[in-house]
Amino acid sequence: MLTENELIKFRRELHSYPETGWCEFVTTHKIVEKLRSFGLDPIYGRQVINPEFVAGRNPAKVEEAKKAALDKGVPPEFIESMQDYTGVAAIFETGRPGPVLAIRFDMDCVDVDEAHEAGHRPFDEGWASTNPGHMHSCGHDGHTTMGIAVCNWIQENLDQFCGTIKVVFQPAEEGVRGARPMTETGIFDDVDFFFGNHLGFNLPTGTISPEPGVFLASTKLDATFTGLAAHSGADPQKGKNALLAGAAAALAIHGITRPIGEVTALNVGTLVAGQGRNVVAPNAFMQLEVRGETEELNAYMRDQAIRKIKASADMYDCQVDIVKAGEATEFKPDQEAIELAYIAARNVTTEELARPLGLKLGSEDCTIMLRRVQQHGGKGTFVVFGCRTSAGHHQRLFDFDEEVIGIALRFYQNLIPMIVGIK
Amino acid sequence: MLTENELIKFRRELHSYPETGWCEFVTTHKIVEKLRSFGLDPIYGRQVINPEFVAGRNPAKVEEAKKAALDKGVPPEFIESMQDYTGVAAIFETGRPGPVLAIRFDMDCVDVDEAHEAGHRPFDEGWASTNPGHMHSCGHDGHTTMGIAVCNWIQENLDQFCGTIKVVFQPAEEGVRGARPMTETGIFDDVDFFFGNHLGFNLPTGTISPEPGVFLASTKLDATFTGLAAHSGADPQKGKNALLAGAAAALAIHGITRPIGEVTALNVGTLVAGQGRNVVAPNAFMQLEVRGETEELNAYMRDQAIRKIKASADMYDCQVDIVKAGEATEFKPDQEAIELAYIAARNVTTEELARPLGLKLGSEDCTIMLRRVQQHGGKGTFVVFGCRTSAGHHQRLFDFDEEVIGIALRFYQNLIPMIVGIK
Amino acid sequence: MLTENELIKFRRELHSYPETGWCEFVTTHKIVEKLRSFGLDPIYGRQVINPEFVAGRNPAKVEEAKKAALDKGVPPEFIESMQDYTGVAAIFETGRPGPVLAIRFDMDCVDVDEAHEAGHRPFDEGWASTNPGHMHSCGHDGHTTMGIAVCNWIQENLDQFCGTIKVVFQPAEEGVRGARPMTETGIFDDVDFFFGNHLGFNLPTGTISPEPGVFLASTKLDATFTGLAAHSGADPQKGKNALLAGAAAALAIHGITRPIGEVTALNVGTLVAGQGRNVVAPNAFMQLEVRGETEELNAYMRDQAIRKIKASADMYDCQVDIVKAGEATEFKPDQEAIELAYIAARNVTTEELARPLGLKLGSEDCTIMLRRVQQHGGKGTFVVFGCRTSAGHHQRLFDFDEEVIGIALRFYQNLIPMIVGIK
Amino acid sequence: MLTENELIKFRRELHSYPETGWCEFVTTHKIVEKLRSFGLDPIYGRQVINPEFVAGRNPAKVEEAKKAALDKGVPPEFIESMQDYTGVAAIFETGRPGPVLAIRFDMDCVDVDEAHEAGHRPFDEGWASTNPGHMHSCGHDGHTTMGIAVCNWIQENLDQFCGTIKVVFQPAEEGVRGARPMTETGIFDDVDFFFGNHLGFNLPTGTISPEPGVFLASTKLDATFTGLAAHSGADPQKGKNALLAGAAAALAIHGITRPIGEVTALNVGTLVAGQGRNVVAPNAFMQLEVRGETEELNAYMRDQAIRKIKASADMYDCQVDIVKAGEATEFKPDQEAIELAYIAARNVTTEELARPLGLKLGSEDCTIMLRRVQQHGGKGTFVVFGCRTSAGHHQRLFDFDEEVIGIALRFYQNLIPMIVGIK
């Protein structure tokens, strides 16, 4: 068994080389190496991803990340074996009849520049990000380490269990991109119980909640408008102005009629248009997102946004290509899973710290996996392992109380036998 | 022959009861009565209008105008004989071979409230408008009187002429509505020479110009957006907001890309939308116009406007109905007609006052008639009879130097024999 | 005591001559006459309204309504005594020490054309609206009748009570206009307990709820944009386009950033702009409303709307005048008042029908009165008297189960003694 | 004297290393070296530029260009002596009284990727651009070579002339940026005659026109909007949306009311906004331009654009910084200068090829220099040396008939003595 110190060392190793969604080549390699060191034979890369459902993936960045991984010493044949995709899954077959349990940990970082200044522990202690513009400022390095700890413990105790356990390391959670293509490999199609988790939220360390609150269903969209360039000082009427199409779309989307008293959200986050001051802009690119408390509300918002985008393109005689760049669904946990998790939690922490939280958590694509599990009658929920943080999530000064890693491990040590059964 | 005083009296009679486009029932009756008093048998109403091409006509207002005409003493059987339409034409057949000449005078007023204040001659002398909200502030009362004078003179001298002369009294020139449906009766299909005219522009009285300048081609459009009402405080998402569709269209139309260095114009003049403060507006109505120096430029502007309107409706999931409410084309006068007119003009006024003017004259639907004449090889132009005015055209203090009526008469006395020939 | 039949007769009399907000001259007269018939000396008109705080009042319509009231037989001296304002209050002073209780009933109608068709009871029975375009389709005729019944009963039993009772008949509740100027006369400044009420909602007749649900704070605004006219075919750049300013404001207001998971609402309900197709529009008028679950949220929405309006005016170099046309605040009922009301309700109806409702009720300006009462330590709530209706509120086929009038009377017969005390 | 072949060789040397506006370090060095080889002592860099009036200069790109120049072998002490600015002037003082003549040549390239494909002469012959993304596709390499040829000839014949001759090599003509800061050094304050020139336009080689047509006055603006970031899925109302401010400004600018029948132009060419999909965009950057046939029309367009930008920022509670990034004024050549140029032209080419052209030439900042000269009574014009080109200006396949260099030299050999006089 890895000691707590070894786990913390692994977490900091991950922290020092964070990788963004779909680019986790070094991270995938580290996970696979570690699992192999336990005697496991994990599946990874293309084996755990269905490319047909991949969204929000920039091939040029992926190529860069592969090169960087080679530079970092990842063997070329390992890179080769990934077949362009990241992610890992360890599947423990006991060979004994019993339920199938899946637990998901995520592994990607955020596009934030980590603080390199005194007082920020990762910097002070020398394990801050060495990948500029990238930072584990959401705690997924902690999640991955929890997953490693859980796998290590399962492997050492596997002969006691029944059923099957799948531990999944998901890429590209930020932007809610990775869950769908993992799900579409069929890996959750036989799962009876499913758990995802997240650490932090600056709650008292020791907090464990299988009723954390609300996740919004969400759709991320990219819209690419194509018009026609023309010299604006000579014959602008020969052009088709994609900049104006994009501007009109942005304004119209922000004016979508909102149902009163329902939870919805929207944002056109970026708009980049034009080629030069005196050229009728033939191009515009827009990244947006909509959210809704229910799948239905999210679908309303999405359909309205698409309507506005198409009409704006038409208004300026432009073409537009709309691509889904990520998705999450609403969070509908099962009471049975919640109750089992409370039992496990109370064995690890105080009664007081095992409780509903009522958080508003944005969106989590783990909901896509849970929905698939529920579609065939499985159960599940999402567990928050609260802990103190030095700054808000996604902030450049973010760090977390590493004690949470051991707490999560003990939680799963209590939960897993309850679910799969002891032989 | 009517004396100059009698003509002026007739003009003032017209002035005191102005009627707006498609509502000239009293005016039509006065013209027909006067022509009959000369022994003529004019055609009028439905005989001179092809209803299929009528635009910008409000049936409710037409009904009101008919009632008002009855109140003013127009006989019911005369109203009946008009068959809902206004306008008159006197056709003089000499029975002798020769060219066909058509001259057009217009007869409608402007929707302006005439000044009833001391210093304004029509008020001081007691012949100001008695039809509130309506005023002959463009001088069409003068034009009609010129037409009467010309008919009177032709009739008295008809046995001297060859060929055919058609004197047309057109309704609904404001908003460029009446020319097309008159033209579509075929009345100009055999015309060899065509002349239209306008008085005023505060030029020296005596100015006569067959090269007055530029008229823009123009299209007038009405757009009616239909959405769906909903309670804005309860479930606005069930509505379809036609007010926003109209607003988006207005802004987009004003942003149409304009060819550089070409003459184009546009305006969304009115927008009326909504039913109440707390109702998602299910309705919007918009009146707009576009113009262009050429038919092609006007068509570009029109097509762009229609694109913006349709896309705006689509953006808010509304229906939209777009109706042409008037039209004029570009002005391309013929050199032969211009030269004949100069000859006539120089017999009436000084060399100096018979000259090109370079005016920018907005739009004139007389161009529609001229285009039809030119399509089968006929010639024509448009003559400005300049005269002093007391205020700009369409102003509530507008009045004009009535001497211009006699000048126009003398011009046509010179022109007509040159064209149709003396037997 | 008036019999139930007499009350119903009075309600139908009100129903047959509905008057819109600030125009309730006939209605005021009827109320005052009825109260006087009980031996009361009510205050009314200018006595119960502080004109400084009057919003959304159209002086021309008020004048029309006064004339119509004269035609309906209201004595000129009575009209005179109203001093242009509507509304009534009956103040019952027992002369004995005790709490001050105020109860509010409203009296205006909705701008809806009542159905005159078979199957609609008011039409079938001959008491449908005789004031075209106006209809008691919200049940305020019932409210007023309840108020009359309550006054009748109080007057007959006044010698038993302590304290003071104020029964207020409020004009102009639609558009949330009347409460503020009544409140600003100081009439509620000494009130210890306050109750308002509403009937209907197609609930089972007998439903009585002092916990009806949520009212949104709301602000109604009128914006008048002033630009400069110009001929759009000649020199549009000399104009200042108020139509475009209004259109830009409408779109921008509908794009106000909404706090997520909070209850807010907004609507630009009407927009009227322009003078003619070929005139740069020098004018635009817009009616809008914003709402929020709290006063703070409403203020946020209002301030954002005002920002958008001002910036839009500035964008087109126009002036804008923004006027408050109505207001309501959030609804924060007091537990003590709710409990007293439940006691009274349970004496009148079943336990099951006396319950919280969880309605979303739009906005009610009664909240303005309640807030004033609470500001000096008073208590209150709003009571819904549910009853069956033949169509939704504000619908042309609306009618209600008149049994509710007697139910409301019995509720107040139970409530009033509890509050003011028996001597 | 340099031979024609030597001139062509120099032009091709310039062509193979094009530099964009404000980055012409290598080009400046080449010009200075060449002039020094004639025995001249030109002024350059900071000596010919007033930094206070520099617009559209990107300091980061300037630093890169300086480094690249060092790499290309420009001596560090020469770079040092430029003091961060580019441009050259050769001033020939004869010491004899006489007029002051200034001739301007420009030297910057366009941000276009030159075609590297067979059939494109510069590529085929090995002198295509070696500076990716930069290309002399407007012919300024030819202009600079003409200036070198003219200086060479003047220097060799200086003892024959009177007065003073200033040959100016201007940086940053593209984007109309360089003329103003050169002018503001005072270099043209004593100039009596001024000439600028441009080659190309695919006219017959030999065409020389001192009446080339219309240049539009123009103002280039950069607008930087600053809002406030917020998490769009959590509390968007805490943000200030600069993306929407920019979008609103772009649409409003394109809707500026245009004077009818006047030449104006506008374009928002680029808009870049936002930081991420789920962040309320705190930033937007926009590049735009306006143009007008006269200084007054351009000022109208500029003021309108600034109004729209400021109001849009205000609408979204953002700050905005508007910076002038370039400027040109209208072109008002002097008859006296035109006539002198025609005399020179007819000595070089045929009568037929020395003629007015009626070109619409966009904008040229040479007009800023000419205006300064005219302000103190000087005269001038702009000469087009027509020649065949292989593609339109600014196209990646552009090349020109190098014969035009010798034609321009001969034109100035004829013009210069006429103006400054022979001793």
Side-chain angles (χ1 to χ4, degrees), chain D residues 286-299:
Chain D
M286 176 188 286
Q287 293 176 301
L288 65 139
E289 60 166 23
V290 295
R291 305 185 195 226
E293 192 169 4
T294 64
E295 192 63 35
E296 189 189 348
L297 280 165
N298 184 59

Side-chain angles (χ1 to χ4, degrees), chain A residues 232-237 248 252 257-260 300 307-308 311-312 314-317, chain B residues 232-237 248 252 257-260 300 307-308 311-312 314-317:
Chain A
S232 65
D235 38 25
Q237 80 282 4
T257 302
R258 310 280 279 275
I260 298 173
Y300 166 80
R307 170 176 289 283
K308 305 303 189 201
S312 297
D314 199 31
M315 186 176 270
Y316 293 93
D317 203 9
Chain B
S232 65
D235 38 26
Q237 79 282 6
T257 301
R258 310 280 279 276
I260 298 173
Y300 165 80
R307 168 176 289 282
K308 306 303 190 200
S312 298
D314 198 32
M315 186 178 270
Y316 293 95
D317 202 8

